[in-house]
Amino acid sequence: MPVLEMAVSPVKSLYWEKFPSMSQCRVYCAPVYHEGMVYVLGGCSETGMPLDSVEVLDVESQTWSQIPPLPTARAGASAVVLGGQVMVLGGMNQQQTPLASVEMYHPDEGKWESKASLSQPSMGVTTLKKEGKVYAMGGMGCDTAPQALVRVYEAAKDRWQPLTAMPTPRYGATPFIRGNKIFLMGGRQGKMPVTALEAFDLETKSWTRYPCIPTRRAFSCCAANEQSLFSIGGLQQPGPHNFYSRPHFVSTMEEYDLDQGIWIKPSRTSRMKEKRADFVAGWLGGRIIAAGGLGNEPAPLGSVESYNAVKQRWECVAPMPTARCSSALLQTSSMLLVIGGVAQGPSNAVEALCLSDTV
């Protein structure tokens, strides 16, 4: 099995780096990473209002600076770096209405510029960059309905071109690029979690449906390694067979093997040690990481665990310095940055799970 070839770093090589706090508490912000700088764009304030402020962290010197504010205050926006410039799109404005506007920050000039807007207002758009193009998929519209829109941005012409719509409308889905395919997992349609797993082929511009995530869980997380896609944790909703049960937190992990094209039957050890939802998940040191969230405790969780695919089991990692849920996650090759979220109330904490070179 190819899984045995994966290098998995020892648990003790993972440690938390605590950065100075942001000047503002933020939930639902949009972070991006570019050349050693973390841009934290917008989000919701402690009073629940969308923010226009942008804070920038220099990772090496661990210092924060402010850049000119967003022309449009927004929460739940999407952001991406394109050609050394920071692009922010969609989200929700101060009237609680989805936005179509797109704005670009030029670090060299210290200025924001308005760009061609999306075809329709959207929040929770899944956005990613591939070969100099920005793909914007799905979202939630002004009527609160999930969208199936797929748009590609051509920077040279400053325009969004429509592409083949997604088979399943949704917002807040997680993307994974594998070769020339963009896989989309999860997301939401209103209060309902989406189980659809679909992939967009960048060459044929067509969609393929894959077997759905076996169980429907709200506030779950999606993560991936080289071989597999994972759907982890969440809040299990009552279904047709357990209609009278109450929603409950779960430690479920379901794994989709990309080579075999199947969901692997869960083993006894594939469950997380802790039941959790509304957490963050990523991939670091050959491990799937699950950090924080909400569980069967009155306060947010600080516990962190990692899935070792070679041993096929979860192992405990050093806990988060600040226990919280609803955080934003930013992944680089050497760290997972956990930004803002909710601790006792909205949080301004910024902490990174890092991989040490030497153990």
Side-chain angles (χ1 to χ4, degrees):
M1 281 177 64
V3 75
L4 297 175
E5 296 164 17
M6 279 201 325
V8 177
S9 300
V11 167
K12 61 185 178 182
S13 68
L14 297 170
Y15 66 97
W16 284 95
E17 181 91 50
K18 195 168 161 52
F19 291 101
S21 298
M22 296 181 286
S23 65
Q24 277 185 296
C25 298
R26 296 170 193 264
V27 192
Y28 312 125
C29 61
V32 291
Y33 179 79
H34 179 59
E35 293 183 343
M37 309 294 267
V38 176
Y39 293 77
V40 183
L41 304 130
C44 262
S45 71
E46 289 168 284
T47 58
M49 288 300 284
L51 295 162
D52 63 1
S53 64
V54 181
E55 301 190 53
V56 184
L57 172 68
D58 183 318
V59 173
E60 193 170 335
S61 68
Q62 298 203 4
T63 54
W64 287 96
S65 57
Q66 296 242 356
I67 63 170
L70 290 161
T72 313
R74 54 182 92 210
S78 303
V80 67
V81 175
L82 180 66
Q85 295 159 351
V86 177
M87 182 184 225
V88 62
L89 53 102
M92 196 85 88
N93 67 12
Q94 291 177 331
Q95 286 72 47
Q96 306 288 302
T97 308
L99 291 160
S101 62
V102 177
E103 292 155 354
M104 183 93 84
Y105 180 70
H106 303 270
D108 295 345
E109 300 166 32
K111 287 181 184 167
W112 285 96
E113 179 187 8
S114 290
K115 290 293 186 181
S117 62
L118 299 167
S119 54
Q120 288 188 34
S122 297
M123 72 156 289
V125 180
T126 298
T127 307
L128 61 117
K129 183 184 70 175
K130 169 89 168 149
E131 292 170 354
K133 291 182 176 177
V134 175
Y135 294 86
M137 302 177 160
M140 185 183 83
C142 293
D143 57 359
T144 71
Q147 298 168 334
L149 301 164
V150 179
R151 300 145 282 195
V152 61
Y153 181 72
E154 296 172 356
K157 297 176 181 173
D158 184 30
R159 70 176 183 189
W160 292 92
Q161 290 286 92
L163 295 173
T164 311
M166 302 190 290
T168 306
R170 55 178 122 177
Y171 60 92
T174 306
F176 300 102
I177 296 175
R178 291 293 180 271
N180 66 339
K181 289 191 174 75
I182 299 170
F183 283 84
L184 273 195
M185 277 185 89
R188 295 175 67 166
Q189 296 177 333
K191 293 183 178 176
M192 285 298 290
V194 171
T195 58
L197 172 60
E198 297 161 353
F200 183 70
D201 189 307
L202 292 164
E203 289 174 13
T204 64
K205 304 288 191 285
S206 61
W207 285 90
T208 303
R209 293 176 190 243
Y210 292 88
C212 286
I213 299 169
T215 58
R216 191 185 293 276
R217 290 163 276 125
F219 305 108
S220 59
C221 274
C222 301
N225 62 17
E226 293 102 327
Q227 288 94 17
S228 301
L229 307 178
F230 299 87
S231 173
I232 312 165
L235 192 65
Q236 185 93 50
Q237 310 286 33
H241 305 298
N242 57 347
F243 188 75
Y244 295 105
S245 78
R246 296 161 68 177
H248 55 283
F249 295 108
V250 294
S251 55
T252 307
M253 183 183 76
E254 293 169 335
E255 176 180 356
Y256 182 78
D257 186 300
L258 289 161
D259 291 334
Q260 296 183 66
I262 58 165
W263 287 94
I264 294 168
K265 186 172 169 55
S267 67
R268 190 173 51 79
T269 58
S270 65
R271 288 183 170 273
M272 288 188 291
K273 293 176 178 294
E274 191 137 26
K275 296 176 180 181
R276 65 180 81 222
D278 198 15
F279 56 105
V280 291
W283 186 72
L284 190 65
R287 296 168 172 274
I288 299 295
I289 307 290
L294 290 172
N296 295 323
E297 302 285 335
L301 300 170
S303 63
V304 182
E305 49 191 303
S306 68
Y307 182 67
N308 183 327
V310 175
K311 295 180 179 175
Q312 298 191 335
R313 70 174 190 217
W314 288 88
E315 298 168 337
C316 290
V317 178
M320 300 169 75
T322 308
R324 52 206 151 117
C325 61
S326 301
S327 298
L329 178 79
L330 189 56
Q331 173 135 25
T332 75
S333 57
S334 61
M335 61 182 178
L336 296 175
L337 274 140
V338 185
I339 300 167
V342 177
Q344 303 311 112
S347 174
N348 60 359
V350 177
E351 295 155 357
L353 186 64
C354 303
L355 185 60
S356 68
D357 299 330
T358 56
V359 180

